Amino acid sequence: MEPPTSSRLNSRKRRKDGSGPNGATELDGIPPKMSRRSFGLREPAPFSDEVEIDYSKPYIRVTYEEAMRGTPLDRPVRVYADGIFDLFHSGHARALMQAKNLFPNTYLIVGVCSDELTHNFKGFTVMNENERYDAVQHCRYVDEVVRNAPWTLTPEFLAEHRIDFVAHDDIPYSSAGSDDVYKHIKEAGMFAPTQRTEGISTSDIITRIVRDYDVYARRNLQRGYTAKELNVSFINEKKYHLQERVDKVKKRVKDVEEKSKEFVQKVEEKSIDLIQKWEEKSREFIGNFLEMFGPEGALKHMLKEGKGRMLQAISPKQSPSSSPTHDRSPSPSFRWPFSTKTPPSSPANRSRNESTVTYDISEDEED
């Protein structure tokens, strides 16, 4: 018999072409979203001696089929689960969760064995019985807690608590001179198996503590516990303190190394950035220099343009080609000041100038 789970009850086939969440449609039976509220209880589960039972009603056990179909609200299926529950952990909580979800309407009763029975049949515990009772009381899946639960379930105990089924993992539990203390429960058809959570158990937790004893002893010494409280000798106490100092020095050195590495890394990143920026600026400078002073740079064009303007400024203007040409008059002779003699003339012009004694400057030239 496998206990039904919520995932199995809500299992459905997803459709990729659907319009709902994850490709589901209305035909997939997706339950509507529920408002956010707290499902946990506000008070711990009561003890069995604090709960009143109406013995006027006859005790009639329900069958497995009736329990699976669902019972009335006033008649839940009474499931019993027992254990030591030392160092209460998630494996214990998962087992109780499975027991609570065996049937649609379940009332979970949890029995916790006393220190006397546990020390006699199993061994010494880390937590005392009151601490273990309190831990189970505060599990949300528990409805009732039985203190000083029996090691072997008797018919009288089952009838007293009106138990319908007993939940436990299916592995045979050999103890108290029996190969399986739940053998008679299985033969009576009252056994409902649960699954163990692998990787977590009370023995595993104790093994971790024993394996790392020095670590936890140093931890508690650092937190203020005395060597006497931890049952640590004087020599070990000094050794633990010395190890603590060495570890602190190692941690400081490691922190300095990490910080130095970070600093060197930042310097390298900054240097790379500076080199890249310098390369970009140098390329930009070289480009600007070539644009100004290169073979086809702006400076050459400016010099050419300035030279052209200078030549244009010092050169005479030519007459327009369309203007009519006139015969150029001979160059006039110039009268020397304060002299009646005419200036010397060239041989070519001597015959021309013989008829005239003097050459007067024209009116235009005098103006």
Side-chain angles (χ1 to χ4, degrees):
M1 295 182 297
E2 294 184 358
T5 59
S6 59
S7 61
R8 187 178 297 109
L9 292 174
N10 295 330
S11 62
R12 53 189 178 273
K13 182 179 179 181
R14 302 287 186 181
R15 298 182 181 179
K16 295 182 179 180
D17 56 347
S19 58
N22 297 328
T25 61
E26 296 179 355
L27 299 177
D28 290 329
I30 299 176
K33 292 184 178 181
M34 302 179 66
S35 59
R36 186 181 180 86
R37 61 188 181 89
S38 176
F39 290 92
L41 300 177
R42 297 181 180 273
E43 296 180 359
F47 293 113
S48 59
D49 52 5
E50 299 174 351
V51 178
E52 296 181 359
I53 300 178
D54 187 7
Y55 290 99
S56 61
K57 297 181 180 179
Y59 167 59
I60 301 175
R61 284 190 57 249
V62 297
T63 63
Y64 181 79
E65 290 75 13
E66 293 174 346
M68 288 300 297
R69 284 196 301 266
T71 57
L73 294 177
D74 59 345
R75 177 55 175 97
V77 180
R78 297 174 68 86
V79 178
Y80 178 80
D82 58 358
I84 309 302
F85 301 105
D86 191 20
L87 297 176
F88 192 87
H89 51 76
S90 61
H92 296 141
R94 288 177 181 272
L96 298 179
M97 179 185 68
Q98 294 179 51
K100 180 67 175 179
N101 289 278
L102 282 172
F103 308 105
N105 185 16
T106 303
Y107 184 86
L108 181 59
I109 307 169
V110 180
V112 182
C113 299
S114 62
D115 288 344
E116 182 180 359
L117 284 176
T118 304
H119 297 167
N120 291 335
F121 291 105
K122 191 170 184 178
F124 190 75
T125 59
V126 178
M127 300 169 63
N128 59 45
E129 58 184 21
N130 292 324
E131 294 171 338
R132 294 184 284 112
Y133 297 154
D134 189 63
V136 175
Q137 264 190 300
H138 288 82
C139 180
R140 62 181 297 181
Y141 310 111
V142 180
D143 296 306
E144 183 180 329
V145 177
V146 178
R147 292 178 288 191
N148 193 15
W151 198 260
T152 302
L153 300 179
T154 61
E156 293 77 15
F157 179 82
L158 298 175
E160 178 185 358
H161 294 278
R162 302 193 169 193
I163 296 171
D164 296 313
F165 296 95
V166 177
H168 200 272
D169 60 83
D170 203 11
I171 301 174
Y173 195 89
S174 58
S175 179
S178 174
D179 296 336
D180 189 2
V181 295
Y182 297 103
K183 182 178 180 181
H184 63 289
I185 302 295
K186 296 176 181 178
E187 294 175 350
M190 298 177 61
F191 189 79
T194 57
Q195 300 295 325
R196 292 179 63 89
T197 302
E198 297 296 334
I200 182 67
S201 66
T202 302
S203 300
D204 292 338
I205 296 175
I206 294 175
T207 301
R208 297 178 198 173
I209 297 173
V210 173
R211 180 188 61 197
D212 301 326
Y213 169 77
D214 291 343
V215 176
Y216 293 116
R218 289 170 53 188
R219 170 182 177 272
N220 284 2
L221 283 173
Q222 188 179 3
R223 288 177 175 268
Y225 288 89
T226 63
K228 184 177 180 180
E229 291 174 333
L230 297 174
N231 195 23
V232 175
S233 64
F234 177 80
I235 296 176
N236 286 336
E237 181 185 5
K238 298 303 179 184
K239 182 183 71 174
Y240 292 150
H241 285 305
L242 179 61
Q243 290 177 349
E244 190 68 28
R245 293 176 183 176
V246 171
D247 290 344
K248 288 182 178 179
V249 173
K250 288 181 179 179
K251 185 178 180 181
R252 290 177 182 177
V253 172
K254 187 176 180 181
D255 293 340
V256 171
E257 290 179 353
E258 292 179 354
K259 290 181 179 179
S260 62
K261 289 180 180 178
E262 292 178 359
F263 176 75
V264 172
Q265 186 177 1
K266 289 180 179 179
V267 171
E268 290 178 353
E269 292 176 355
K270 289 289 184 182
S271 61
I272 292 172
D273 293 340
L274 290 175
I275 291 172
Q276 290 177 352
K277 291 180 180 179
W278 182 83
E279 289 179 351
E280 293 175 359
K281 291 294 182 182
S282 62
R283 291 195 189 102
E284 183 179 354
F285 175 77
I286 292 171
N288 294 335
F289 182 83
L290 292 176
E291 288 180 1
M292 178 62 70
F293 301 100
E296 300 295 333
L299 182 62
K300 185 175 181 180
H301 292 290
M302 290 171 63
L303 292 175
K304 286 183 178 180
E305 186 177 355
K307 183 178 180 182
R309 290 179 179 178
M310 187 180 296
L311 292 174
Q312 185 178 3
I314 63 177
S315 63
K317 295 183 179 180
Q318 297 180 358
S319 59
S321 58
S322 60
S323 62
T325 59
H326 300 277
D327 293 335
R328 186 172 183 180
S329 61
S331 59
S333 60
F334 182 77
R335 180 183 296 176
W336 292 95
F338 309 108
S339 176
T340 58
K341 296 182 180 180
T342 59
S345 60
S346 61
N349 297 329
R350 187 174 299 170
S351 59
R352 185 183 305 173
N353 296 331
E354 287 178 353
S355 59
T356 60
V357 178
T358 59
Y359 183 79
D360 295 332
I361 299 174
S362 64
E363 294 179 1
D364 294 337
E365 290 177 349
E366 287 179 353
D367 294 334

